[in-house]
Amino acid sequence: MIAYVIGIVAEVSEDSIIVENNGMGFRIRVPYGYAFKQGEQLKIHTYTYVKEDAFLLYGFDTKDQLELFQKLITVNGVGPKGALSILSILSTNDLRFAIYSQDIAAIAKAPGIGKKTAERVILDLKDKVSLSDITAIPGESEGAPIFTGDMDVIKKEAVDALTALGYGISDAAKAVSQVPISEDTTTEDILKQALRYMV
């Protein structure tokens, strides 16, 4: 398995690049929209996909993207092409939030990914996504994780309580993320304050 490739970008096409390294050119399939420039030097993290009639490399800017790609291809019906399609339209943070908030529509926007496949992605990966992995609510600036450490549990309880009251998971998570937390804060405290943001 090739873990990463360091080299010069020799060619750029819509869905792949060729990276030259020691006289060899590696064709690496990448998510759409990556801004690679011919002649630039880079390090790209890769996943090696071998099947009967092909030996393919898929490449990503970060290990985080690579790890999510590897999780996505474990989902029945996704495969490397589908996983690449999803990562072409969603950042790793936005994808985690979509999985956590069960936002089928966000994932189904990826070319070749229908509603049923998006549902399978959420079903299969929801236990592999933690609130502490989400660095920001989509559409807001990214920074420190919105849910961290021991506070993860009580914030999740507050989100669960809000969804039990009929609010959407996405709206509930947004409201809870706005509540200031201290060591003495209880789930009930978070819930009361979060409800103010839901009005």
Side-chain angles (χ1 to χ4, degrees):
M1 180 179 166
I2 301 171
Y4 59 83
V5 176
I6 298 175
I8 303 292
V9 178
E11 290 181 28
V12 179
S13 63
E14 187 177 5
D15 63 348
S16 67
I17 58 174
I18 294 177
V19 179
E20 186 178 334
N21 176 289
N22 290 325
M24 295 180 65
F26 295 88
R27 180 175 295 280
I28 303 171
R29 296 173 190 273
V30 294
Y32 295 98
Y34 271 37
F36 293 106
K37 294 179 182 176
Q38 193 166 340
E40 75 172 313
Q41 181 162 352
L42 53 65
K43 174 180 179 180
I44 190 162
H45 300 275
T46 57
Y47 175 82
T48 307
Y49 180 68
V50 181
K51 58 180 184 177
E52 291 178 10
D53 58 346
F55 181 91
L56 305 172
L57 286 177
Y58 292 85
F60 307 92
D61 279 343
T62 66
K63 283 186 178 179
D64 188 36
Q65 290 170 323
L66 172 60
E67 288 168 5
L68 263 180
F69 174 83
Q70 290 173 306
K71 288 177 181 175
L72 283 167
I73 61 175
T74 66
V75 178
N76 186 32
V78 175
K81 186 177 179 182
L84 209 63
S85 179
I86 293 170
L87 289 170
S88 293
I89 65 154
L90 293 171
S91 69
T92 54
N93 183 72
D94 289 355
L95 177 56
R96 285 190 176 99
F97 190 79
I99 292 168
Y100 174 76
S101 64
Q102 300 179 35
D103 189 346
I104 295 167
I107 298 171
K109 286 178 184 175
I113 302 296
K115 182 181 177 183
K116 287 185 178 178
T117 303
E119 288 172 347
R120 279 199 298 269
V121 168
I122 291 169
L123 184 64
D124 290 359
L125 300 184
K126 64 182 180 180
D127 294 332
K128 297 178 182 178
V129 173
S130 167
L131 286 172
S132 59
D133 295 331
I134 300 171
T135 56
I137 302 297
E140 297 180 7
S141 59
E142 295 195 19
I146 55 173
F147 301 116
T148 57
D150 295 336
M151 308 318 295
D152 221 16
V153 176
I154 63 170
K155 285 192 172 188
K156 186 177 186 313
E157 288 174 354
V159 170
D160 290 343
L162 286 169
T163 56
L165 291 172
Y167 295 104
I169 292 180
S170 179
D171 291 336
K174 286 179 183 179
V176 168
S177 71
Q178 296 178 66
V179 176
I181 305 293
S182 69
E183 290 182 5
D184 299 327
T185 306
T186 65
T187 302
E188 188 177 342
D189 294 334
I190 297 174
L191 188 57
K192 285 178 181 176
Q193 293 185 59
L195 282 167
R196 295 175 188 166
Y197 297 107
M198 303 298 287
V199 178

